[in-house]
Amino acid sequence: MHSVALLTASYAKDIERFSLLSESIDTWLTGYTRHYVLVNDEDLPLFARFASDKRVIVPASRYLPKWLWALPPALQFISKRRVWLSLLSSPVHGWHIQQILKIAGVLNAPEQRVCILDSDNLFFREFDVGEYAGAEKTPLFVTRNGIDAAHPLHVLWLRTVDQLLGIKDRSFPADDYVGNALVWDKDTARAMTDSIKSATGLNWVLALCRKKKFSEYLMYGHFVANAPAHLATHRVTEDSIAVSHWDDTRLDRPAIEAMMRAASPDQVALCIQSYSSTSIDDIRDVFRLSSRDRRGPSLSPEHMGDEAQFEVPKAR
């Protein structure tokens, strides 16, 4: 069995969703060593209360290169989105920084396998993530032929991924590797960033900053699919461990309950995308009711004990 870590890139506006994710992890998950939480430097005080003996809050600057710096919020007069500046590329927004941080977090984790969890996920069943993610082969979720030429955003992401990885002769429909609670192998991620440097002649972070329109999940999946040696170390599956709501339709409480009831026995996580504007209070109420029914009341992060300090590896 390989060691397994959890990794989340989050920020202040998602803190309530992250709070629910962390509560669900503490309630239901076993089999992992650490949960690394990567946040903007100015958000560290907001996230400090979530630190515990298994949760480490890491400032983004630890993993970002020195030539990329965050524009102070007070100077963001025009853009409502967080902006990073660089003399080597045009400005980069927070969503792209989060993708870069996920890759850097995997590369720098002491653990061999990393389960990446976005803030709008939560767990609602007991789950040994070490058994799932730490087995001989890394699970690789795919939706076969999930991207057709009529899907402009995914096609744009995939075209960029092909340029970054040097993949030629793309045809559609193409496989889609976007999902929730996805597992990456550190050695494979390192080979992926080496491939980006080989194809572009640039450091992988700079290459991503210059391209911008990409998906880290598509990039990892298509790198593996086009690298026979790495594909052999992965177990490809079309079964997600998460039941997901991807569109922008707002869900009410009965709809959330119905999603959880409809989950297959192997689905242990729930993802309701934040852009759906579904009430976080409704999601929290359904989660806590489910937790009480199964295990008794769960503890909130404020009651998990004193914060601890950890040595987190610096970016290489």
Side-chain angles (χ1 to χ4, degrees), residues 102 116 118 177-179 182 184 215-222:
K102 292 176 194 177
I116 304 174
D118 292 332
Y177 294 92
V178 175
L182 302 181
W184 284 14
S215 161
E216 76 280 30
Y217 298 139
L218 286 180
M219 187 157 56
Y220 184 91
H222 282 278

Side-chain angles (χ1 to χ4, degrees), residues 12-253:
K13 289 184 178 180
D14 273 350
I15 195 165
E16 289 305 315
R17 296 180 185 278
F18 174 79
S19 175
L20 185 52
L21 168 63
S22 63
E23 184 178 342
S24 75
I25 290 171
D26 297 336
T27 303
W28 293 112
L29 257 63
T30 58
Y32 67 98
T33 57
R34 292 283 185 270
H35 181 194
Y36 300 105
V37 184
L38 282 53
V39 301
N40 300 339
D41 288 41
E42 69 271 15
D43 293 340
L44 279 174
L46 296 176
F47 282 83
R49 65 188 175 100
F50 298 105
S52 71
D53 60 343
K54 298 192 72 171
R55 182 165 294 115
V56 188
I57 314 300
V58 184
S61 60
R62 183 166 296 177
Y63 290 154
L64 295 178
K66 299 300 183 184
W67 49 261
L68 188 62
W69 68 93
L71 183 67
L75 299 180
Q76 295 186 162
F77 302 112
I78 300 177
S79 177
K80 294 182 180 180
R81 297 184 292 172
R82 197 74 169 87
V83 176
W84 275 254
L85 300 178
S86 168
L87 297 177
L88 302 178
S89 73
S90 57
V92 183
H93 291 109
W95 185 62
H96 299 110
I97 292 295
Q98 283 200 358
Q99 295 183 78
I100 291 169
L101 286 174
K102 292 176 194 177
I103 298 170
V106 172
L107 296 179
N108 287 280
E111 294 79 8
Q112 182 64 31
R113 304 276 173 78
V114 178
C115 181
I116 304 174
L117 302 167
D118 292 332
S119 295
D120 44 15
N121 287 264
L122 66 84
F123 291 87
F124 60 92
R125 287 176 176 159
E126 289 184 349
F127 184 53
D128 185 336
V129 67
E131 182 178 345
Y132 172 75
E136 179 182 359
K137 293 192 174 184
T138 308
L140 179 66
F141 172 71
V142 62
T143 301
R144 295 295 188 191
N145 298 321
I147 303 175
D148 61 46
H151 198 308
L153 185 57
H154 278 69
V155 169
L156 175 60
W157 289 346
L158 192 50
R159 294 294 190 193
T160 303
V161 165
D162 288 347
Q163 294 170 17
L164 289 167
L165 296 175
I167 297 174
K168 304 183 185 300
D169 303 321
R170 170 64 61 193
S171 62
F172 292 93
D175 290 343
D176 189 356
Y177 294 92
V178 175
N180 294 295
L182 302 181
V183 180
W184 284 14
D185 174 77
K186 181 167 65 175
D187 291 344
T188 303
R190 177 71 61 190
M192 178 184 73
T193 56
D194 289 344
S195 180
I196 293 172
K197 183 176 181 179
S198 177
T200 65
L202 301 171
N203 168 276
W204 70 268
V205 179
L206 180 56
L208 296 185
C209 286
R210 288 186 175 179
K211 287 294 185 181
K212 294 186 179 64
K213 304 296 185 180
F214 66 93
S215 161
E216 76 280 30
Y217 298 139
L218 286 180
M219 187 157 56
Y220 184 91
H222 282 278
F223 171 75
V224 172
N226 285 273
H230 291 285
L231 182 59
T233 66
H234 286 69
R235 175 180 62 83
V236 180
T237 176
E238 297 182 51
D239 299 320
S240 174
I241 64 170
V243 55
S244 305
H245 177 69
W246 288 105
D247 62 42
D248 57 5
T249 305
R250 183 185 177 95
L251 300 181
D252 57 17
R253 180 167 173 165

